[in-house]
Amino acid sequence: MRRRTPPPPAPLPQRDGVDPVRVRLPYGGTWATVREHLVQRLTGAPPGMVEAMFDAGSVVGADGRPVAPDAPYVPGMFVWFHRELPAEVPVPYPVEVVHRDEHIVVADKPHFLATTPRGSHVAETALARLRSELGLPALTAAHRLDRLTAGLVLFTVRPEERGAYQTLFRDRRVRKEYEAVAPYDPALELPRTVRSRIVKERGVQAAREVEGEPNAETYVELAGRRGGLARYRLVPATGQTHQLRVHLNALGVPVLGDPLYPEVTAPVPPGDFRRPLQLLARRLEFTDPVTGAEHTFDSGRVLQAWESYDAWAGRG
């Protein structure tokens, strides 16, 4: 069995908090040159982009030197380059830092901002912003929060400690508490614990509940009522995709502003920041695996529909 060579450190700096792309040339290929492989690999790139990167010296090897356009293909070789970032509409809300020490950063993410680069959201992400704003290029996310959900996200400062913090979430040793605004149903008996089996298929936007062994569990409690609206306190014991949104929808009280539940709606135009999803990651509690400290962090954000439904709905 061929032993995998660990990647060397990136020879290119970040741009706007975004890492350069790293490509390892696969074994068993029939390409004659590095350029030939990248042309075939980056099939979604605009015509001529790969050639232009080589001409500009933007594709580099582990030593930081440009890779020549006719450089021979070497299996296992690493190369780096920066892709042109997609045009992104800036999310006009700040990422608030709740806590920072030499090991972790706890951020209070606004609605509409992705946690980490993915798809068309790259520089306009909490990770990229915090790397630039805090001067912490090695910052990484210990977990993720949906782009449409606001609230607390834990980031790690030192790459060698990331695994210890990720293990907290994997082993369910982080107590997470959420808050949601949804319709009030006087017939809904609360508090209760909702258990179901949730599946999320690749390429399908919405998750769904199916028959079978439960893999999702959420404690739901009524935290307040104003007319036809209610504020719900949610404590998940598991972390399935869209779990809280699926469970509230199954109870007949879908989260206000949800574009997927109970039905998938047409996507809003870029830059439309009206009617944010009324779901907030309110609290994180855990024992620090590195320092042993007991941490409890609370979001300073409020859900707009609870404070002023008319303002959230665009009537005020």
Side-chain angles (χ1 to χ4, degrees), residues 177-185 190 220-234 248 256 278 280 282 301-303 305-307:
E177 184 176 310
Y178 289 74
E179 182 179 302
V181 177
Y184 172 70
D185 181 359
L190 296 175
V220 182
E221 180 180 273
L222 183 66
R225 176 197 170 192
R226 288 180 181 171
L229 294 182
R231 185 162 57 94
Y232 296 94
R233 177 174 167 267
L234 311 169
L248 281 187
L256 292 189
Q278 294 299 279
L280 174 68
R282 168 64 68 195
R301 300 185 183 277
V302 296
L303 291 172
W306 186 249
E307 295 296 306

Side-chain angles (χ1 to χ4, degrees), residues 113-255:
L113 190 70
T115 301
T116 57
R118 188 177 184 183
S120 60
H121 305 285
V122 182
E124 278 299 305
T125 59
L127 178 61
R129 283 198 191 178
L130 289 171
R131 282 175 168 177
S132 297
E133 294 171 3
L134 302 181
L136 295 174
L139 195 72
T140 54
H143 66 122
R144 286 194 311 186
L145 198 61
D146 286 348
R147 185 179 68 88
L148 297 182
T149 304
L152 299 178
V153 184
L154 176 66
F155 296 87
T156 60
V157 174
R158 298 173 176 175
E160 65 271 20
E161 295 175 350
R162 183 189 186 193
Y165 291 97
Q166 286 182 313
T167 300
L168 290 178
F169 291 90
R170 184 197 68 192
D171 294 347
R172 302 177 186 174
R173 289 187 283 131
V174 178
R175 185 178 184 278
K176 297 180 284 185
E177 184 176 310
Y178 289 74
E179 182 179 302
V181 177
Y184 172 70
D185 181 359
L188 182 60
E189 295 184 5
L190 296 175
R192 70 166 64 184
T193 297
V194 182
R195 297 181 181 89
S196 70
R197 184 166 190 83
I198 296 176
V199 297
K200 174 69 169 63
E201 299 168 356
R202 183 182 294 273
V204 179
Q205 287 183 287
R208 59 191 177 91
E209 292 183 307
V210 297
E211 295 293 329
E213 182 72 20
N215 62 358
E217 179 179 315
T218 307
Y219 173 81
V220 182
E221 180 180 273
L222 183 66
R225 176 197 170 192
R226 288 180 181 171
L229 294 182
R231 185 162 57 94
Y232 296 94
R233 177 174 167 267
L234 311 169
V235 182
T238 55
Q240 297 298 322
T241 300
H242 298 173
Q243 174 178 319
L244 304 181
R245 298 158 65 180
V246 169
H247 278 171
L248 281 187
N249 181 60
L251 293 176
V253 287
V255 181

Side-chain angles (χ1 to χ4, degrees), residues 24-42 71-76:
R24 188 186 193 203
L25 306 186
Y27 289 89
T30 59
W31 303 276
T33 64
V34 178
R35 181 190 61 80
E36 183 181 318
H37 170 68
L38 289 184
V39 167
Q40 181 174 334
R41 184 163 182 159
L42 305 178
Y73 184 91
V74 179

Side-chain angles (χ1 to χ4, degrees), residues 111-112 148 256-258 273-279 304 312:
H111 296 285
F112 302 108
L148 297 182
L256 292 189
D258 198 325
F273 301 114
R274 297 173 298 172
R275 299 190 182 186
L277 178 72
Q278 294 299 279
L279 182 62
Q304 186 184 28
W312 175 83

